[in-house]
């Protein structure tokens, strides 16, 4: 993790406070992380931020993740998080911004772009959640999503964390004991405890309302949000483009760091203004 990052601050979002790391100057880019055990904004994106130093990077922990408050949540998780992200950005005085989100954070970014289109200048989504095929039962979900939901229902031990990290990457040299232990420590310290099956939320009716230029990024071997789901996003978002990276799993910005930085950086510099 870069040593020059400022300490996170707690930003009010109506009834709760969210942990925010705010670094750099330029057009604001809001980074929204996934929902895997041990996830937080910086655990997902700290390695990428130096390549985006010409932007104001606002990295936010979702409610019940990282250092953010842990409220009881009624209703869909994507909708809840999105509404509180907008409140936090209001508190920061950020009117217009680009969004970068992966997995669950991609779903939240899509919700924000669809419900507040006048505020979003550009959108980068890495295998976003929130639009799985209709009628799919919990047991029919992809292997990786079943691991996340198991961790949300039952908590996480080292065996489950090792299985989860292994499923995230094609390049198994990245699946180190150090990474597993770091994620496990964060999950044990910060893991949200959910009551009953998680209600992620369905974005099917909202996604066509996204007006911002949108870049969709997918790992070809994604075991969480398979590439077969990508065309639905491409078809429903009017101004969208899709890039599928070979030899890459779900943790695209980590496993293919240089290529992600190049693709997303060029797209944001071209469209975010």
């Amino acid at each position: 993790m870069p040593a020059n990052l400022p300490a996170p601050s707690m930003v009010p979002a109506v009834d709760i406070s969210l942990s925010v790391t705010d670094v750099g100057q330029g057009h604001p880019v809001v980074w929204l992380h996934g929902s895997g055990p041990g996830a937080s904004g910086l655990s997902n994106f700290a390695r990428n931020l130096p390549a985006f130093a010409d932007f104001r990077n606002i990295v936010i922990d979702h409610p019940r993740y990282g250092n953010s408050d842990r409220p009881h949540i009624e209703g869909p998780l994507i909708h809840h998080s999105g509404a509180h992200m907008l409140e936090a950005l209001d508190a920061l005085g950020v009117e217009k911004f680009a969004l970068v989100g992966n997995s669950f954070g991609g779903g939240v970014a899509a919700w924000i772009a669809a419900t507040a289109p006048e505020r979003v200048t550009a959108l980068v989504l890495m295998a976003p959640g929130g639009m799985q095929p209709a009628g799919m039962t919990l047991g029919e979900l992809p292997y990786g999503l079943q691991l996340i939901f198991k961790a949300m229902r039952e908590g996480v031990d080292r065996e489950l964390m090792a299985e989860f990290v292994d499923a995230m990457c094609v390049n198994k040299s990245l699946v180190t004991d150090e990474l597993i232990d770091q994620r496990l420590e964060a999950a044990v310290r910060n893991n949200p405890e959910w009551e009953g099956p998680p209600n992620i939320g369905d974005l099917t009716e909202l996604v066509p309302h996204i007006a911002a230029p949108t870049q969709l990024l997918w790992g070809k071997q994604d075991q969480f949000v398979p590439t077969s789901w990508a065309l639905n996003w491409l078809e429903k978002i009017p101004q969208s483009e899709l890039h599928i990276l070979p030899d890459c799993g779900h943790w695209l910005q980590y496993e293919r760091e240089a290529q992600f930085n190049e693709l997303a950086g060029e797209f944001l510099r071209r469209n975010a203004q």
Side-chain angles (χ1 to χ4, degrees):
M1 187 175 295
N4 59 345
L5 289 178
S9 59
M10 299 300 290
V11 174
V14 186
D15 54 336
I16 63 173
S17 293
L18 301 180
S19 179
V20 177
T21 300
D22 193 341
V23 58
Q25 297 182 357
H27 186 75
V29 176
V30 180
W31 299 74
L32 300 179
H33 66 83
S35 63
S40 67
L42 292 183
S43 74
N44 271 210
F45 300 120
R47 287 163 50 116
N48 306 104
L49 294 181
F52 296 83
D54 51 329
F55 293 99
R56 178 185 177 186
N57 297 289
I58 302 170
V59 187
I60 310 180
D61 292 343
H62 295 293
R64 305 187 73 170
Y65 284 87
N67 293 315
S68 289
D69 287 347
R70 284 162 171 69
H72 174 76
I73 298 176
E74 298 284 350
L77 300 181
I78 284 177
H79 302 58
H80 180 276
S81 184
H84 284 82
M85 295 294 169
L86 285 172
E87 295 290 348
L89 291 167
D90 287 343
L92 290 168
V94 177
E95 176 59 29
K96 290 186 179 291
F97 48 85
L99 287 159
V100 177
N102 74 296
S103 197
F104 173 76
V108 174
W111 184 91
I112 294 171
T115 57
E118 73 284 355
R119 300 184 65 175
V120 178
T121 58
L123 189 60
V124 176
L125 304 177
M126 296 95 82
M131 206 163 58
Q132 61 268 22
M136 183 170 283
T137 67
L138 188 64
E140 294 170 331
L141 289 173
Y143 165 65
L145 289 185
Q146 294 196 40
L147 291 178
I148 289 180
F149 292 159
K150 181 178 180 180
M152 294 172 84
R153 293 191 311 269
E154 303 174 13
V156 62
D157 56 17
R158 197 178 193 284
E159 181 179 2
L160 179 58
M161 182 59 74
E163 189 175 2
F164 169 78
V165 174
D166 183 78
M168 292 275 279
C169 299
V170 172
N171 181 359
K172 301 309 180 185
S173 69
L174 299 174
V175 185
T176 63
D177 286 339
E178 180 183 13
L179 176 60
I180 294 168
D181 291 339
Q182 286 174 348
R183 293 282 300 220
L184 179 61
E185 180 184 357
V188 170
R189 183 177 65 246
N190 297 325
N191 192 52
E193 296 179 359
W194 303 97
E195 304 85 6
N199 177 6
I200 298 298
D202 184 8
L203 300 178
T204 303
E205 299 302 320
L206 279 176
V207 165
H209 297 286
I210 295 174
T214 301
Q215 182 183 68
L216 300 166
L217 299 174
W218 241 274
K220 190 172 184 179
Q221 287 78 28
D222 194 318
Q223 297 191 67
F224 291 74
V225 184
T227 55
S228 59
W229 297 6
L231 286 181
N232 196 22
W233 288 85
L234 184 67
E235 292 168 356
K236 287 184 179 297
I237 300 176
Q239 301 296 319
S240 62
E241 61 185 56
L242 171 63
H243 302 261
I244 298 178
L245 307 188
D247 302 316
C248 181
H250 189 58
W251 211 1
L252 184 147
Q253 78 277 11
Y254 186 88
E255 185 166 23
R256 299 292 291 273
E257 179 184 340
Q259 193 167 2
F260 166 80
N261 292 346
E262 180 180 358
L263 284 168
E266 188 279 330
F267 180 82
L268 290 174
R269 292 178 184 101
R270 175 162 42 93
N271 291 290
Q273 52 186 324

